[in-house]
């Protein structure tokens, strides 16, 4: 017997959401300057120049460490849609300041956590970079790797400038859903705009709060009302041996709330990967001013393995697990990447039921964002859409958190950066 759904007025719920947003703004306004940029340690001249160039350009969490033969820097990109564009700009800025024949080590971060290490050799530094030919003549790419631990240890005790802590990013998400029916009513659709507030609290810890604003709706009646989107507290953590974890607590898609944990292990510099995801959630929805919910009562474990081809850039992934209806089955995905564009196809089998579909992702204008101010407004980097060919009660039912581990890492995948820098 299903648990009875509980109902209460939604006024208190919205008070809590607005309270979270208000607290984030107040902390940003009152945060002492030392949280944002420390400048108390004496740094040698070249380090100061490099740090100033990157921090003044808008890069977050910038640090630099220079030895006799190496220049080691780290940064987090929030000013460009594409990570390879951000890396190009870093090279353009700092290469003229580095003497020839030095090795350049760059560690790219996400949520103040090291993701990937780029190693290059400076060949000349007399002139400012002008075009792609100048850039290729100025440095030689040696390697791109997930093995950041050795050099991250050297940077951990350095001062990180232009901190991303308590910076509030308002991200605008366009949403579109469609159901294709019979000839009398061939298409029913829903269009929303979903602004979201994303704030980094400290290393790996961030809060994401989204509200869905309806524009047009021909689907479920819930779509006529302003309602919450994804609201979650996320902790992203990197373990040794190229293992990444993500823990989410909050409200997800498909009317689910609760706890979600994901782990991902990379092999052979990301050529192969294996992971698992565990969800423990309950049902929740808002309709006509009322909040309907059950207790947390559904466990959804799954495991996955995959392969990434370097050239062409293709990912093949197999997932086996339990969906929200307690049915077990599997899903096969194949995704092709064309620079910033993605196109994918999938096939699923749940018990005796099969289904298939496609998905795509397209980059949204603009390619660069403003970085000044306590509140930064920009569109989401990509518009993603998925279509399934059949709809029935036992089709795979999933919920989504703000960002999966694989999608978080893919923009800085070694094979992607290598292909971009060599082309």
């Amino acid at each position: 017997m299903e648990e009875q759904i509980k109902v209460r007025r939604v006024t208190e719920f919205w008070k809590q959401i607005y309270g979270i947003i208000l607290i984030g703004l107040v902390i940003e306004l009152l945060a002492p300057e030392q949280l944002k940029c420390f400048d108390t340690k004496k740094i040698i001249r070249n380090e100061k120049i490099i740090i100033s160039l990157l921090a003044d350009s808008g890069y977050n969490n910038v640090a630099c460490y220079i030895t006799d033969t190496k220049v080691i820097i780290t940064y987090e990109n929030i000013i460009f849609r594409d990570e390879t564009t951000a890396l190009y700009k870093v090279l353009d800025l700092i290469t003229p300041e580095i003497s020839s024949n030095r090795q350049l080590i760059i560690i790219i971060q996400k949520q103040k956590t090291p993701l990937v290490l780029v190693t290059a050799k400076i060949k000349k530094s007399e002139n400012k970079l002008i075009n792609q030919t100048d850039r290729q003549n100025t440095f030689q790419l040696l390697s791109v790797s997930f093995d950041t631990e050795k050099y991250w240890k050297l940077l951990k005790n350095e001062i990180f400038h232009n901190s991303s802590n308590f910076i509030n990013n308002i991200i605008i998400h366009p949403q579109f859903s469609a159901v294709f029916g019979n000839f009398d009513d061939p298409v029913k659709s829903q269009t929303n705009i979903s602004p979201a507030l994303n704030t980094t609290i400290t290393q790996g810890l961030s809060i994401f709060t989204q509200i869905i604003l309806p524009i047009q709706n021909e689907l479920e009646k819930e779509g006529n009302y302003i309602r919450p989107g994804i609201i979650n507290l996320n902790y992203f953590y990197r373990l040794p041996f190229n293992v990444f974890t993500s823990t989410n607590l909050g409200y997800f898609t498909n009317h689910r709330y609760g706890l979600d944990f994901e782990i991902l292990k990379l092999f052979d510099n990301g050529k192969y990967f294996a992971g698992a995801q565990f969800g423990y959630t309950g049902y929740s929805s808002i309709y006509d001013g009322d909040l309907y919910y059950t207790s947390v009562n559904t466990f959804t474990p799954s495991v996955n393995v995959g392969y990434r081809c370097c050239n062409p850039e293709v990912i093949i992934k197999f997932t086996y697990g339990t969906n929200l209806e307690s049915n077990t089955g599997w899903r096969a995905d194949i995704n092709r990447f064309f620079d910033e564009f993605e196109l994918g196809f999938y096939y699923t089998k749940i018990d005796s039921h099969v289904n298939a579909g496609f998905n795509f992702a397209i980059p949204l204008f603009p390619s660069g964002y403003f970085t000044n101010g306590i509140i930064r407004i920009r569109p989401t980097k990509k518009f993603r859409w998925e279509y399934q060919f059949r709809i029935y009660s036992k089709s795979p039912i999933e919920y989504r958190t703000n960002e999966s581990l694989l999608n978080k890492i893919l923009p800085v995948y070694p094979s992607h950066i290598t292909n971009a820098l060599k082309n």
Side-chain angles (χ1 to χ4, degrees):
M1 179 178 178
E2 293 187 359
E3 181 177 351
Q4 183 179 0
I5 295 179
K6 303 171 186 177
V7 185
R8 68 179 174 91
R9 297 300 297 176
V10 77
T11 305
E12 293 300 320
F13 176 83
W14 283 112
K15 285 182 179 178
Q16 295 170 7
I17 298 304
Y18 293 143
I20 291 172
I21 297 174
L22 180 61
I23 290 172
L25 294 176
V26 170
I27 291 175
E28 169 61 26
L29 288 170
L30 299 180
E33 280 300 313
Q34 59 265 32
L35 285 176
K36 300 178 183 178
C37 181
F38 298 85
D39 196 20
T40 58
K41 181 179 178 181
K42 184 176 180 180
I43 308 173
I44 66 174
R45 180 176 178 274
N46 283 357
E47 288 180 344
K48 280 187 174 182
I49 293 173
I50 290 172
I51 290 170
S52 178
L53 286 170
L54 297 183
D56 291 347
S57 297
Y59 290 92
N60 282 155
N61 309 318
V62 178
C64 179
Y65 182 85
I66 296 179
T67 69
D68 292 338
T69 58
K70 293 180 175 64
V71 177
I72 308 165
I73 68 168
T74 185
Y75 70 87
E76 183 165 343
N77 165 47
I78 61 161
I79 58 179
F80 293 101
R81 182 184 63 212
D82 180 45
E83 290 292 343
T84 56
T85 303
L87 179 58
Y88 275 145
K89 183 62 176 177
V90 168
L91 291 168
D92 289 351
L93 288 169
I94 69 173
T95 300
E97 307 299 333
I98 302 174
S99 59
S100 301
N101 298 318
R102 270 196 172 177
Q103 196 174 71
L104 176 62
I105 310 293
I106 301 175
I107 298 177
I108 303 175
Q109 306 168 44
K110 178 76 170 182
Q111 290 180 229
K112 304 185 76 173
T113 302
L115 284 188
V116 71
L117 181 141
V118 180
T119 305
K121 184 178 181 181
I122 303 303
K123 299 197 295 188
K124 66 175 184 178
S125 59
E126 287 79 10
N127 300 312
K128 294 288 183 181
L129 302 177
I130 299 174
N131 53 43
Q132 178 72 9
T133 302
D134 291 335
R135 184 183 290 119
Q136 290 178 342
N137 290 334
T138 303
F139 76 93
Q140 175 188 359
L141 179 67
L142 299 179
S143 66
V144 186
S145 155
F146 282 113
D147 298 326
T148 63
E149 186 173 358
K150 175 182 176 181
Y151 293 105
W152 184 252
K153 288 180 179 178
L154 298 176
L155 289 168
K156 282 178 66 176
N157 295 325
E158 294 297 307
I159 299 167
F160 282 70
H161 296 253
N162 201 20
S163 172
S164 61
N165 286 358
F166 306 111
I167 297 296
N168 299 289
N169 296 287
I170 296 179
I171 306 170
I172 310 300
H173 297 252
Q175 295 182 341
F176 177 77
S177 302
V179 174
F180 299 91
N182 54 43
F183 291 104
D184 295 328
D185 197 4
V187 180
K188 292 183 178 181
S189 63
Q190 181 183 105
T191 306
N192 306 306
I193 291 293
S194 302
L197 178 66
N198 189 24
T199 304
T200 298
I201 300 172
T202 186
Q203 181 176 355
L205 185 65
S206 64
I207 186 167
F208 184 90
T209 306
Q210 184 182 49
I211 297 175
I212 300 175
L213 307 176
I215 295 178
Q216 168 268 338
N217 179 49
E218 297 173 327
L219 301 180
E220 71 276 0
K221 292 183 179 180
E222 181 191 43
N224 295 325
Y225 301 95
I226 297 175
R227 58 200 185 276
I230 297 172
I231 302 172
N232 73 327
L233 185 69
N234 171 259
Y235 184 59
F236 173 56
Y237 187 70
R238 179 168 185 171
L239 296 167
F241 308 111
N242 295 332
V243 176
F244 299 86
T245 67
S246 178
T247 305
N248 290 280
L249 177 65
Y251 183 74
F252 313 129
T253 64
N254 210 16
H255 304 129
R256 308 308 296 182
Y257 79 99
L259 179 67
D260 179 87
F261 176 77
E262 186 179 3
I263 186 168
L264 182 69
K265 162 65 177 172
L266 304 176
F267 302 90
D268 196 10
N269 205 29
K271 187 175 182 180
Y272 307 96
F273 60 87
Q277 186 170 0
F278 306 94
Y280 189 48
T281 62
Y283 172 87
S284 176
S285 70
I286 291 178
Y287 177 70
D288 195 20
D290 290 323
L291 175 64
Y292 299 80
Y293 64 98
T294 68
S295 61
V296 175
N297 55 13
T298 305
F299 182 55
T300 50
S302 66
V303 295
N304 61 79
V305 295
Y307 166 75
R308 166 119 186 181
C309 177
C310 180
N311 197 6
E313 291 189 56
V314 175
I315 284 184
I316 301 172
K317 179 182 176 182
F318 296 93
T319 304
Y320 178 82
T322 302
N323 65 11
L324 295 174
E325 292 187 344
S326 300
N327 302 312
T328 57
W330 57 272
R331 168 170 168 153
D333 289 83
I334 180 168
N335 288 76
R336 174 73 164 94
F337 298 83
F338 305 89
D339 196 11
E340 294 185 71
F341 295 84
E342 302 174 28
L343 177 63
F345 298 90
Y346 67 90
Y347 178 87
T348 65
K349 185 174 182 181
I350 304 293
D351 293 338
S352 60
H353 300 271
V354 297
N355 204 348
F358 66 89
N359 49 61
F360 63 83
I362 56 175
L364 296 180
F365 179 84
S367 60
Y369 312 123
F370 294 106
T371 60
N372 296 325
I374 62 172
I375 300 178
R376 304 167 178 175
I377 302 177
R378 66 169 177 85
T380 185
K381 293 183 177 181
K382 293 184 179 181
F383 172 73
R384 296 182 180 273
W385 197 72
E386 182 170 289
Y387 174 74
Q388 61 179 17
F389 293 120
R390 298 177 180 176
I391 299 177
Y392 39 70
S393 60
K394 287 194 175 183
S395 63
I397 301 175
E398 299 176 324
Y399 63 84
R400 299 184 188 277
T401 60
N402 178 32
E403 192 174 30
S404 70
L405 272 177
L406 193 58
N407 283 340
K408 194 185 294 283
I409 298 171
L410 278 178
V412 294
Y413 229 74
S415 58
H416 176 65
I417 293 178
T418 301
N419 289 339
L421 293 182
K422 288 185 176 180
N423 291 334

